[in-house]
Amino acid sequence: MNAWVSYLDQALLPVLRRTVTDLAGLREREDELNGRELSAVILHDPIMTVKVLRYLESHRGRSQITDITTIDRAIMMIGTTPFFRQFTDQPLIEESLADYPQALEGMMQVMSRARHAAMYAQDWSALRHDVDTDEVVVAALLHELAEMLLWCFTPGQMLEIRDRKRRDPTLRSAAAQQEVLGFRVIELQIALASTWHLPKLLLSLMDESHAELPRTQCVALAVALARHSANGWSDAALPDDYAAIGRFLKIFPDEVWMRVRRTALQTAQSWEWYGVPPAAAWLPMQAAF
């Protein structure tokens, strides 16, 4: 795992083609651009999101005494012109995995799940009147970042993990990862976050060992719902997810389902970013809650 941390620390991380295209369009009207528009594009792409946070941390001035934990604030600190100058030329995920179409699909599925998790977390943290919803959104978006990076840089091993789980549905992801990679992906995630000096707050929100914290619970529930609903709305784990969400938000089952369904439909509007069916594509299969 340490070798992977060292490698990824030096690697040029690829981003989505759609990210590069949309940023180029925004740059053409830079003079009238506001930070929210720029953030909206970045927050569709978990890898682009972490690249912005890493850049800001590596250029941290002595006067900056607090961590920057949201993309809006990061853009304010960097400035739009320096941002475009720094992030104009980006390698593309689609090109790096062009010879591995199955791995590209696996990668896009994880990115789509991350976007769904971020949107669920945004809805629930707003309902709870969270002091800073955007922090929870970024934490949910980056929760499975290490898995995305492994899809990019070791597609063969990630396909092997997927195939082992398909052959044995009882095999847990962590066990398959340990068998194939020699470590669990969550261990790589935590090690990378530490090496990259990501804000400690974001790390605590992504680390489920801090499950006693309500905001960490919000992220964990959003990630679990996104993962299970990606398998279809008949996934056996979903009833427990719904019950846990209801207890967390202190709302009735009907409202849980209403909010989940609404957010899934909203998230599906940007499905073309990832090119894989969103969870909402399977909603007609759900007869009732």
Side-chain angles (χ1 to χ4, degrees):
M1 188 189 71
N2 292 335
W4 269 112
V5 172
S6 298
Y7 175 76
L8 292 172
D9 188 39
Q10 300 298 320
L12 192 56
L13 306 183
V15 302
L16 291 166
R17 187 186 305 276
R18 175 69 179 268
T19 303
V20 172
T21 301
D22 280 19
L23 288 179
L26 292 179
R27 189 174 193 179
E28 291 180 357
R29 54 186 191 86
E30 180 181 339
D31 292 341
E32 59 187 59
L33 188 64
N34 64 63
R36 271 290 179 184
E37 290 179 275
L38 193 51
S39 296
V41 171
I42 295 168
L43 287 171
H44 278 81
D45 188 332
I47 296 182
M48 187 68 199
T49 297
V50 82
K51 290 181 77 162
V52 171
L53 293 174
R54 283 182 67 193
Y55 175 81
L56 188 63
E57 181 59 35
S58 66
H59 292 77
R60 184 170 182 151
R62 293 182 179 179
S63 62
Q64 184 185 326
I65 59 175
T66 59
D67 287 336
I68 303 301
T69 53
T70 69
I71 295 302
D72 271 356
R73 292 180 198 144
I75 296 302
M76 288 178 60
M77 292 291 292
I78 297 171
T80 53
T81 298
F83 170 85
F84 284 122
R85 185 167 57 243
Q86 173 65 29
F87 293 105
T88 294
D89 296 320
Q90 300 286 323
L92 303 180
I93 292 169
E94 291 87 345
E95 290 184 357
S96 65
L97 291 175
D99 295 332
Y100 300 91
Q102 289 184 318
L104 178 60
E105 182 181 13
M107 169 70 168
M108 293 303 187
Q109 288 170 343
V110 180
M111 293 196 106
S112 177
R113 289 204 315 261
R115 176 66 179 175
H116 278 78
M119 295 293 283
Y120 291 132
Q122 181 181 59
D123 180 58
W124 303 341
S125 59
L127 180 63
R128 294 183 62 254
H129 305 290
D130 197 298
V131 293
D132 200 330
T133 294
D134 289 350
E135 290 175 343
V136 180
V137 169
V138 171
L141 187 73
L142 299 184
H143 192 277
E144 297 185 317
L145 177 68
E147 182 177 348
M148 299 175 206
L149 296 178
L150 289 172
W151 275 112
C152 281
F153 292 102
T154 181
Q157 288 184 300
M158 295 304 289
L159 287 170
E160 174 63 21
I161 292 171
R162 187 197 66 180
D163 291 344
R164 290 191 184 199
K165 291 180 61 182
R166 286 180 176 178
R167 291 194 298 266
D168 180 4
T170 66
L171 180 63
R172 297 183 63 84
S173 295
Q177 293 161 6
Q178 187 72 46
E179 291 173 3
V180 176
L181 299 169
F183 56 85
R184 294 177 299 138
V185 173
I186 186 60
E187 295 170 340
L188 177 61
Q189 176 95 353
I190 294 170
L192 280 174
S194 176
T195 299
W196 290 344
H197 303 290
L198 295 185
K200 292 182 180 179
L201 173 62
L202 293 182
L203 181 57
S204 70
L205 293 179
M206 291 187 284
D207 186 353
E208 294 180 17
S209 67
H210 296 282
E212 76 282 359
L213 303 175
R215 302 175 89 206
T216 304
Q217 292 178 41
C218 183
V219 172
L221 289 170
V223 170
L225 177 62
R227 183 184 301 118
H228 297 147
S229 61
N231 298 328
W233 296 94
S234 59
D235 188 280
L238 285 172
D240 289 341
D241 290 341
Y242 298 144
I245 294 164
R247 290 192 298 270
F248 176 68
L249 296 176
K250 297 180 173 59
I251 59 177
F252 292 111
D254 284 350
E255 186 176 354
V256 171
W257 174 239
M258 178 196 72
R259 301 189 78 94
V260 167
R261 184 178 184 277
R262 183 183 65 199
T263 303
L265 289 169
Q266 290 173 343
T267 308
Q269 294 175 10
S270 57
W271 75 272
E272 291 179 341
W273 278 78
Y274 316 105
V276 295
W282 318 119
L283 279 172
M285 298 170 60
Q286 178 76 6
F289 175 63

